[in-house]
Amino acid sequence: MAENTNSNEVNPYQKHKNKLEMQKQLITFALMILFTIIAFVIVATGMMQKMFVIPVLLILAVIQVAFQFYYFMHMKEKGHDMPSLMMYAGIMAALLIIAGLVVITWW
Amino acid sequence: MSIAATQKRGFGAVLWDYLTTVDHKKIAHLYLFGGGFFFILGGLEAMIIRIQLVRPENDFVSAGLYNEILTMHGTTMIFLAAMPLLLGLMNAVMPLQIGARDVAFPFLNSLGFWLFLFGGLILNCSWLLGGAPDAGWTSYAPLSTTSPGHGVDFYVLGLQISGAGTLIGGINFLVTIINMRAPGMTYMRMPLFSWTTFITSVLILFAFPALTIGLFLLMFDRLFGSAFFNVALGGNTIIWEHLFWIFGHPEVYILILPAFGLFSDIFSTFAKKRLFGYTAMVFATILIAFLGFMVWAHHMFTVGLGPVANSIFAIATMAIAVPTGIKIFNWLATLWGGSITINSAMLWALGFIPTFTLGGMTGVMVASVVADYQYHDTYFVVAHFHYVIVGGTVFGILAGLHYWWPKMFGRILNEKLGKIAFWIFFTGFHLTFFIQHFLGLMGMPRRYWVFLKDQGLDTGNLISTIGAFLMAIGVIIFFYNVVYTAVKGEKVPDDPWDGRTLEWATSSPPAHYNFKQTPLVRGLDPLWVEKTEGKGKMTPAEPLGDIHMPNGSILPFIMSFGLFIAGFGFIYQVNYTWAYIPLFVGMGILLGCMLIRSLKDDHGYHITKEELEREAD
Amino acid sequence: MSHDHSLNPETMPHEPEKATLEGKNKFLGFWFFLGGETVLFACLFGTYLALRNSTAGGPTTNDLFGLELVFIMTILLLTSSLTSVYAMYHMKNNNFKKMQLWLGVTAVLGFAFLGCELYEFNHYIHEYEFTFRSSAFGSAFYTLVGFHGGHVTFGLLWLLALMIRNAKRGLNLYNAPKFYVFSLYWHFIDVVWVFIFTVVYLMGKVG
Amino acid sequence: MKGWMGRFRAFFLLGSLALVLSACGKDNLTALVPKGYGAESSMDLIIISTVVMLFVFAVVMLIYVAVLLRYRKKKGQEDFIPKQVEGNKTLETIWTVIPIILLIIIAVPTVTATFDLADNSGSKDGLNIQVTGNQYWWHFNYEGQEIQTSQDLYVPVGEKIYLSMKSSDVHHSFWVPSISGKMDVLPENENKMYIEAYEEGVYWGKCTELCGPSHSLMDFKVIVVSQEEFDQWVKDMKNVNPDTQPQDAVAQEGKSLFQQNNCMSCHAIGSSPTQIGPNLTNFGDRSKIAGILDPTKENLVKWIVDPESIKPGNKMTGNYPEVSEKEAGKIAEYLMQLKPSEVTPESAGN
Ligand code: HEA
Ligand code: HEA
Ligand code: CUA
Ligand SMILES: [Cu+2]
């Protein structure tokens, strides 16, 4: 069993890295809040044409979710090949399902 | 517990051992036993179907009962027989093939089994409690939402519970294969059966949630008054069809891919040749799985989705013939130039090739939309899917059982009985189902309780029924063989077939820690590599040391039992308020067990080096 | 090795959640579970989108939804996602106290979110007589949002169990993966919510 | 395509006839002897794909048999170790590319035919019929004609008939194998298809979507008549006066019994669109009772007295006052006399 217990000397360095990482997370969070506000404002003010609103909202959501996955859930870090592979496979299946249900249920 | 495992124990001790086991090899036994039981049940239902259809306007069973039997036959065979039997083989063999001591989540593995078993039991309890589900294994709404009685409720809860078990099993296999391979066992050195286990698990992971949601919607409509499929309130019944087939089509590849994998292993072992086109085989598997997710609407060609959707799904469906063809030809090429031994395992594998090819070809024929307007929901489709399911999955399970029986139980199935069973079953199978292609085209729809006189369908149906009896005889001989072998079967050495892959490098049956020392893998077909270029046995990758093992636990059994009780609560709360008691008690048991599981540390135990050394080789 | 893998600054590995094989397995298995959950929610979203105009004469999305409450709920949940990131940050720095603190904040935010959701449902039921049974849209709405709410509830129970169980003994290699996996789950809940507020509420307002 | 396809089809049929000694099943029921446009399109594809499949199967079997003949382990060579071949790029390419080509051969006509059969653009000028599927009977409403029939669908030969189909309860599926492929009949959406029959006659129709206990008994007929006969039939049907008294006394009594026993609450005679039970306007002309029984008086009496014994789960059982055999006989007499038209299944020949 891998008992990885001899890493005390990397600790201060690691601590620093964790801190930098945390700063990035904060920026991410700020951006997410910003996107949320933009989305709500667009809808609340009705400032945009209906045809554009939905794609814009969806794009904003997708970017936010990418932030969640890559920063908050660390998918950008190494050791996440399998998780991202499966997540993408799941997302693909999800898109197919939604397309199927939305496009060809009523005709 | 470690050493005493081989000693004779009382019945109670054995029972307790199996109830609490987290050892994948014992869980495999449980799966095989449970799956075998349900296979007999499903087979008996099939026989009733065939007896009812032996002559026109027969009245062996009533119309309502026929629909129940037909539904339970399909549901039982697919969810409770074929899949568990495959999961059993995977549990028995896959960890050995990749050189792992254990699976990634032994506790969840056991939970998966018990969920399956209790799900199956709840489903079959319907027979005793006012009637089984009767809307077909596809349970199309609104027939299913308006079906009187509780039959369909049992379907919903039974499948929900056993489906959860399967999903858990799938995740367990995925992580096992990714994290627990022996040193040197790269992905591209994994035996095909392990590969297909891996891909099958991916399919399970992404297909079963669709079933889960479908069943939830059905359950809400039936038990809690929602309106998903209630057209009067704006509901749409096509949503169920979509959800069911989004799950249902990948499901059929869940059934066939493991069989493909084990045939690959069997062919290369008994032809004494390396698998031809290994890389292509792996990628064909992946491609089949990938395409399998975008073809579901080929079950819905006549729903009226429009020519665009129909065409797209038809072409996507046909495309699957290409990777499958690659597999067929690679198997033939593996045999080509080999030195072929034909024994029972190999007979089932050889019988598979023409049978499955026929079934696959009728698959492509039904994929041709306008032709499917004729085939759909007729016996042509019944013939198609029995050719692929029985000719692929059932033949595969039987081949796998013959092949791995010595590994699992240390005894070899009787060859003579095996061959007789094969020939009788094989003849019966083609007799039963070949004629059904024509019955379908001659105007016999499926799910028909009776067919009328003077429609030219009599002879065909009679032949079909005769064939089914031959199949039953074949199955009975097989089970006789199992009993016979258990009582006085021949003991065999660890590696009776001159095997190529790692499972044959362990003892038969394997010790509960599988490998005393994790083996070092030096190529594809690792044992074969050692046989031709090494000492003839695996080189250890580590010095002898303590082995960490998980503790057994009764919790999975209790949790599943809790859900079982809660299931009845859900069903009967519609009629009786007291039913909330089992509902809450059952869910309480489940949550309580989960809490115990997460609060109580379970670090497992260690088999020390000394113990291992004491265990004589 | 049955001694517990208690952590102190000297034995702190870089990624405590993945330092043992059990941890690695848990980590990977949980990600895969989330992959499956993606499909699960996709089915719910698909169903909702197919049925959202099937109001059977009852209130429509536009009649029902108000943006203020949803905005507050969104901010609550997004913030709780950040606080759980803080918790993981302190876990990596082996600061158990601070980790517990931030997890506590996460729980509080989660409960606040749940409260809002209950208030919202209650409001629809009493003001609009819009229930699970009134139309296919009603069924689809409560099922989708309710499934998410159920996930939040389960997550909160899980979190409380973890925090209470480990309050006395601090961080070790046995429970670090559990905390980490919980944080993944919590983020995923947030991901789903992002789509719910976009697809259900905002798009419902747009029409 | 029609020309060579036609000749090819004849050739193919002869071949498969020889193969399957039991012929192709019952005339006017089997899909193997197409007598309508849809069935013919399907048959063309069935033939194309079967030929391709027979080719593929032949190739597979050839290799298979060769392998089994040549490479069985030989006596005295038990220790022989075959060469461990890894693969072969050329071969693998061949068996990837050839199937693709074969599939294209199937896919192209498939897509063409799919779009062809989905083309309902002629329905504006054509004959439109609304089909309603019910547990376990069929209703046909001739649009713009005020004609309602059940179980028997009269159509003119050689013309495209446009059907809009909807279900009043669960899913059903409309299938007349000799004339056309099937189309599901759903409660939430109207499905459209057209049929065109080439020959006059009476064709069997079946329900192919599981719809309850009597799913297998939900048969109907399509009666294909010449254009003149069809016009005559339309005229006759329009002239029906539901209130005319039957000639003989028994039937008159039957008529009043029919009214007393509440039958009218579900069954209409004339063009009233009540749809709980089949419209009985031309019941005397029916080729079958309830879709399956021969049209004899005994059978009808049996039906009226105890429909459950004939169609389990049907929606008539238990919803009308008990009728004695004697009363039923009189009602039967009355119903059998409802023959508004000279144009009948018999006249359409069979
Ligand atoms: C193990 C299960 C299994 C497998 C493997 C398959 C495999 C395939 N199936 Fe089947 N199918 C079912 C189980 C399975 N099916 C079931 C259970 C149903 C009915 C469900 C219900 O309604 O109850 C069904 C129904 C079904 C339908 C719906 C029919 C209808 O209801 O109208 C269709 C339509 O496209 C279809 C197509 C196919 C195709 C194209 C394949 C392909 O994967 C086959 C590919 C294989 C080959 C083609 C043979 C080998 C290839 C070669 C030798 C190469 C050369 C070949 C060519 C160029 C053609 N299947
Ligand atoms: C894994 C899947 C699987 C398997 C293995 C089988 C196996 C068989 N199936 Fe079935 N079948 C389905 C899956 C399967 N089927 C599905 C999904 C449907 C569609 C259901 C629906 O429409 O909803 C279906 C439908 C179906 C129909 C169509 C019914 C209808 O539409 O009305 C028929 C009819 O012939 C049939 C027959 C058979 C037969 C004869 C076997 C035989 O191969 C069975 C052989 C096994 C036995 C005969 C068991 C013998 C055992 C004994 C006799 C007991 C001995 C006792 C001891 C040893 C103690 N099946
Ligand atoms: Cu109507 Cu089957
Ligand atoms: Cu399919």
Side-chain angles (χ1 to χ4, degrees), chain B residues 63-64 67 70 134-136 140-143 146 231 235-238 241 271-278 280 302-304 307-308 310-311 314-315 318-319 321-322 326 328-330 332-333 335-342 350-351 353-354 357-358 361 364-365 367-378 438 440-450 452 454-456 500 528, chain D residues 20 22-26 29-32 38-39 41-42 45-46 49-50 53 56-57 59-61 63-64 66-68 70-73 77-78 80-88 91-92 95-96 99-100 103 106-107 110-111 113-115 117-118 135 169-171 173 175 177 180-184 186-189 191 204 206-217 219 292 312:
Chain B
N67 286 355
L70 143 85
D134 59 357
Y140 279 8
L143 184 66
T146 53
V231 176
N236 186 314
T237 58
I238 306 303
E241 290 194 26
K272 281 215 179 315
K273 264 185 73 197
R274 172 196 162 110
L275 187 68
F276 190 92
Y278 173 89
T302 63
V303 164
V308 180
N310 278 359
S311 300
I315 291 169
M318 289 179 192
V322 178
I326 291 176
I328 297 269
F329 290 114
N330 275 326
L332 290 173
L335 296 175
W336 191 276
S339 168
I340 303 173
T341 312
I342 299 189
L350 287 172
I353 288 190
T357 305
L358 277 172
M361 295 190 321
V364 175
M365 291 169 71
S368 174
V369 183
V370 169
D372 186 59
Y373 293 165
Q374 293 286 19
Y375 304 131
H376 178 67
D377 268 350
T378 68
F438 296 92
L441 285 168
M442 279 151 52
M444 180 152 172
R446 62 191 280 206
R447 296 167 169 178
Y448 262 29
W449 162 56
V450 289
L452 302 178
D454 295 327
Q455 300 203 333
R500 309 171 70 86
W528 185 260
Chain D
V20 198
S22 62
C24 295
K26 184 87 171 168
L29 171 62
T30 170
L32 288 169
S41 308
S42 301
L45 277 168
I46 293 174
S49 52
T50 309
M53 294 312 150
V56 173
F57 191 62
V59 173
V60 170
M61 286 318 282
I63 307 175
Y64 180 76
V67 161
L68 287 186
R70 288 180 56 186
Y71 299 112
R72 305 272 301 261
K73 185 180 272 174
Q77 291 193 340
E78 271 79 14
F80 166 67
I81 305 277
K83 194 156 157 256
Q84 305 289 311
V85 191
E86 200 169 314
N88 182 321
L91 278 176
E92 293 181 47
W95 61 58
T96 311
I100 294 181
L103 289 172
I106 304 175
T110 298
V111 173
T114 307
F115 278 90
L117 287 187
Q135 282 171 325
D169 36 52
V170 301
H171 291 189
S173 193
W175 188 36
S180 179
K182 56 188 75 65
M183 177 66 96
D184 289 0
L186 313 170
E188 63 269 274
N189 283 306
N191 265 335
W204 284 83
K206 294 196 171 275
C207 172
T208 55
E209 189 61 69
L210 181 62
C211 53
S214 282
H215 158 63
S216 57
L217 303 172
D219 285 9
I292 50 169

Side-chain angles (χ1 to χ4, degrees), chain D residues 22-209:
Chain D
S22 62
C24 295
K26 184 87 171 168
D27 228 22
N28 294 356
L29 171 62
T30 170
L32 288 169
V33 189
K35 291 183 182 162
Y37 188 79
E40 196 184 38
S41 308
S42 301
M43 197 63 202
D44 291 348
L45 277 168
I46 293 174
I47 292 170
I48 296 173
S49 52
T50 309
V51 170
V52 172
M53 294 312 150
L54 286 178
F55 168 73
V56 173
F57 191 62
V59 173
V60 170
M61 286 318 282
L62 219 68
I63 307 175
Y64 180 76
V65 171
V67 161
L68 287 186
L69 290 180
R70 288 180 56 186
Y71 299 112
R72 305 272 301 261
K73 185 180 272 174
K74 312 224 171 36
K75 275 255 149 56
Q77 291 193 340
E78 271 79 14
D79 295 332
F80 166 67
I81 305 277
K83 194 156 157 256
Q84 305 289 311
V85 191
E86 200 169 314
N88 182 321
K89 282 271 144 20
T90 328
L91 278 176
E92 293 181 47
T93 315
I94 291 176
W95 61 58
T96 311
V97 172
I98 292 184
I100 294 181
I101 296 170
L102 293 175
L103 289 172
I104 294 175
I105 294 177
I106 304 175
V108 171
T110 298
V111 173
T112 323
T114 307
F115 278 90
D116 178 37
L117 287 187
D119 176 18
N120 279 304
S121 56
S123 78
K124 285 186 290 299
D125 315 312
L127 175 58
N128 286 280
I129 300 174
Q130 282 175 356
V131 178
T132 311
N134 307 279
Q135 282 171 325
Y136 304 96
W137 57 282
W138 295 88
H139 186 80
F140 308 106
N141 176 6
Y142 290 69
E143 241 167 68
Q145 311 262 27
E146 307 214 331
I147 298 178
Q148 314 272 338
T149 70
S150 296
Q151 317 287 30
D152 285 4
L153 174 64
Y154 286 79
V155 296
V157 73
E159 197 165 321
K160 286 199 164 73
I161 319 291
Y162 295 87
L163 307 176
S164 328
M165 314 202 273
K166 210 165 172 188
S167 164
S168 70
D169 36 52
V170 301
H171 291 189
H172 305 276
S173 193
F174 178 96
W175 188 36
V176 195
S178 308
I179 297 181
S180 179
K182 56 188 75 65
M183 177 66 96
D184 289 0
V185 181
L186 313 170
E188 63 269 274
N189 283 306
E190 218 162 62
N191 265 335
K192 297 189 193 313
M193 82 187 282
Y194 65 82
I195 56 172
E196 181 188 338
Y198 293 158
E199 278 175 38
E200 293 173 34
V202 179
Y203 298 88
W204 284 83
K206 294 196 171 275
C207 172
T208 55
E209 189 61 69

Side-chain angles (χ1 to χ4, degrees), chain B residues 1 15 37 126 201 219 224 251 287 401 435-436 455 460 477 492 527 555 557 600:
Chain B
M1 187 184 111
L15 183 69
F37 169 74
S126 62
S201 304
M219 169 170 158
F224 300 104
E251 166 70 13
L287 195 58
L401 286 174
I435 193 82
Q436 290 186 355
Q455 300 203 333
I477 296 176
V492 282
L527 187 57
L555 286 180
F557 178 85
K600 204 172 134 269

Side-chain angles (χ1 to χ4, degrees), chain B residues 213-252:
Chain B
I213 291 302
L215 290 173
F216 267 124
L217 304 189
L218 199 54
M219 169 170 158
F220 290 163
D221 263 23
R222 282 187 62 92
L223 300 177
F224 300 104
S226 64
F228 292 103
F229 310 124
N230 182 344
V231 176
L233 290 177
N236 186 314
T237 58
I238 306 303
I239 291 174
W240 165 263
E241 290 194 26
H242 279 302
L243 290 176
F244 186 85
W245 290 119
I246 285 169
F247 148 77
H249 188 82
E251 166 70 13
V252 307

Side-chain angles (χ1 to χ4, degrees), chain B residues 39-44 46-47 49-50 53 66 70-71 73-75 77-78 81-82 135-139 255 379 382 385-386 389-390 393-394 425 429 432-433 436 445-449 464 467-469 471-473 475-476 479-480, chain D residues 210:
Chain B
F39 180 74
I40 291 178
L41 213 59
L44 287 172
M47 295 313 292
I49 292 178
R50 282 317 324 165
L53 295 176
Y66 181 85
L70 143 85
T71 304
H73 164 67
T75 315
M77 279 298 196
I78 293 209
W137 84 285
T138 52
S139 272
L255 292 176
Y379 267 78
V382 175
F385 69 74
H386 283 92
I389 290 192
V390 179
T393 308
V394 175
F425 190 91
F429 168 78
T432 310
F433 293 113
Q436 290 186 355
R446 62 191 280 206
R447 296 167 169 178
Y448 262 29
W449 162 56
S464 189
F469 274 97
M471 266 195 278
I473 295 172
V475 174
I476 290 172
F479 278 102
Y480 173 71
Chain D
L210 181 62

Side-chain angles (χ1 to χ4, degrees), chain B residues 195-210:
Chain B
W195 254 113
T196 51
T197 301
F198 183 62
I199 302 297
T200 304
S201 304
V202 175
L203 285 176
I204 290 176
L205 178 61
F206 296 129
F208 269 75

